[in-house]
Amino acid sequence: MKQWNWRLISTHAILIVGVCFMSLPVWVAFATSTHSAEHILRNGLQFWPGSDFVETYRQVLFVDGGVMKSVLGTTMLKNSLILGIGFAVGKVIISMLAAYAIVYFRFKLAVPLFWVIFMTLLLPLEVRIIPSYEVVAGLGLLDTHVGLIVPLIASATGTFFFRQFFRSVPDELLEAARLDGATAWGFFKDILVPLSKTMIAAILIIMFVVGWNQYLWPLIMTTKEENYTLVIGIKQIYQILAEGGELPQYQKAFALTILATLPPVLVVLVFQNWFVKGLVESEK
Amino acid sequence: MSKVQLSNVIKTYPNGAEAVRGVDMEIQSGEFIVFVGPSGCGKSTLLRMIAGLEKITDGQIHIDDGLINDVSPADRDVAMVFQNYALYPHMTVRGNMSYGLKNRGMPKSEIDKKVTDAAEMLRIGDFLDRQPNQLSGGQRQRVAMGRAIVREPKVFLFDEPLSNLDAKLRVQMRIEIKRLQRRMNVTSIYVTHDQTEAMTLADRLAVINDGKIEQMGAPIDLYNNPETLFVASFIGSPQVNLLPVTFDGQHLVNGNLKLAGFSDLPNSKELVLGIRPDELSLDDNGQFPLRVDIVEQHGSDNLIYGGILGATDDGVEEMEFCFKTSQDMLPDLDSTLTLGFNAERAMVFDKTTGDRLR
Ligand SMILES: Nc1ncnc2c1ncn2[C@@H]1O[C@H](COP(=O)(O)OP(=O)(O)OP(=O)(O)O)[C@@H](O)[C@H]1O
Ligand SMILES: [Mg+2]
């Protein structure tokens, strides 16, 4: 009994330390963001919330020149949302269609093509970033949402997940649908898509977070402030801090950081159930 | 109501498996045909070729007068009931039943009427708004049938539709399928390896062995007059008793046994004598001494299993026989019964070719 208690205590202690380790920086960032710039400059990082919460966040979100030279926090939030959602939706659509072709159409190159797609998993965006930039620039899509999203949406991971899922769908469903007069498109939209609902939800969520956190590509792609995403905004504001100059606006930098972490957290919290279901569900 | 005609149909799978090796068959309008045979004999393959789910390697299939070799499954106007039902899991019962009609562009009001009628007929009217996972096996089976019925196809195809049900439900559904088919009078082809199902459902039965039709005919004809050893041993439950014998001019001989009453059989060949368990009878002058091994009481009748003393087959002494008798016959275990048989009704086969000799 005693030994068991010890175990319980030690495992909990480790977990608690872990939780603190992970969440303390976030808390400090939040607490600091609620103090005034002078206070921070004089006293350093803050562990308890101050009185400037409303003022700081109002400045960051709604005041022209409050955080960047011109762009508002809300605009960056909007850009990030567009990137996150467009990225996730685009990836799901492209990878479902690719997986559908690979699993259900017996063309000769299906297997090699799948492995080619699969191998691109090994090549991160960074490897092809120069050619991608060239192409997008050539198309005149720099500083546009389309140019930002499209080069990112091809997805080996998504294709792989959907392929595995489609292969687990019984063949008889396809056969029944064929006898029922369903076309290739009809089978996809009436049967496969509804069956993949939870899977789609899970991938949407993961990909939203990944898209939201995209850094290098948006950094290269966007030159105008009005196209900044939150992540780029953070990068810029810390750069300004590092360069020095007038009174450093640490609280605004921290506020922007907190704002950037909120939406992914909210998405995961709200859709947690779907997310788990999509990843573990096997019974169709 | 449609005829189906198969001419020299052959199926070779890409991996070289010869699943169907030349099948000819003519199915009349409204007929209920059952394909029966051991596992792997090609029943499903044949059915799936008629459905259009497998390509036909060679030969021709006609429905009515149209050649359908290259017609897509949807345009063949056939409906199929699968072993695992293959219901669309995310659609309601109504959705499942109407999907095929919707794809054919039928107006909604007409679809509703057909679905309601079919559901009525199958007694699933109360479940129309449920999803398949909220139904029992038997109910799912009915929905699968309903999905086929609403289409009013030219041909119904069934691939072992009852094998996932428990024994009692299977009997019920079997009767129901037969009743429905009578009522709708749609040409039907039914695959099973359950010979009771085969015997009871079929207007005509095709016994398939190794990709070929062994014999086709009314179930009772196949039982009474099997043309080959395979058909004799496949049809009939309990199985026919088989005894390897040779002919010495007057008798069939095996070990100490000499069975009289046979003539006009080849002397030199190895033969097989087949006697149905219910053709045996207690007879003090009989030729078969049966040492009782097991007595199975089935209610109205008993099955007595045991070895025939003095009969051998390749070193096996005491060939096992089954004797079907009435419920009041309860011999002691290890006692010996003397059984006789009617030579007129016994069957003799050529052991090597399997052909029936008399
Ligand atoms: N897709 C396939 N590719 C290769 N060979 C196949 C394929 N499907 C079936 N076969 C082979 O064809 C033969 C006939 O198969 P089929 O499914 O028609 O048998 P069956 O009579 O329906 O058997 P069961 O009663 O077990 O369902 C078998 O030997 C099987 O191994
Ligand atoms: Mg089969």
Side-chain angles (χ1 to χ4, degrees), chain A residues 37-59:
Chain A
E38 294 83 359
H39 187 85
I40 301 168
L41 194 60
R42 246 176 276 125
N43 304 312
L45 290 179
Q46 299 297 308
F47 286 84
W48 300 111
S51 52
D52 278 15
F53 173 79
V54 177
E55 179 54 22
T56 310
Y57 283 81
R58 193 183 66 86
Q59 286 270 339

Side-chain angles (χ1 to χ4, degrees), chain A residues 170 172-183 186-187 190-192 194-195 197 284, chain B residues 48 51-53 73-74 78 80 82 84 86-91 99-100 103-104 147 151:
Chain A
E172 283 87 354
L173 282 189
L174 172 65
E175 293 173 348
R178 283 175 70 193
L179 287 167
D180 266 345
T183 56
F187 175 68
D190 296 335
I191 312 243
L192 273 187
L195 280 182
K197 257 192 341 233
K284 297 301 166 261
Chain B
R48 291 163 56 80
L53 300 173
V78 301
M80 184 152 169
F82 295 83
N84 62 4
L87 298 176
Y88 310 123
H90 59 290
M91 293 187 192
Y99 187 59
N103 284 332
R104 284 173 170 72
R147 187 168 65 179
R151 292 250 319 269

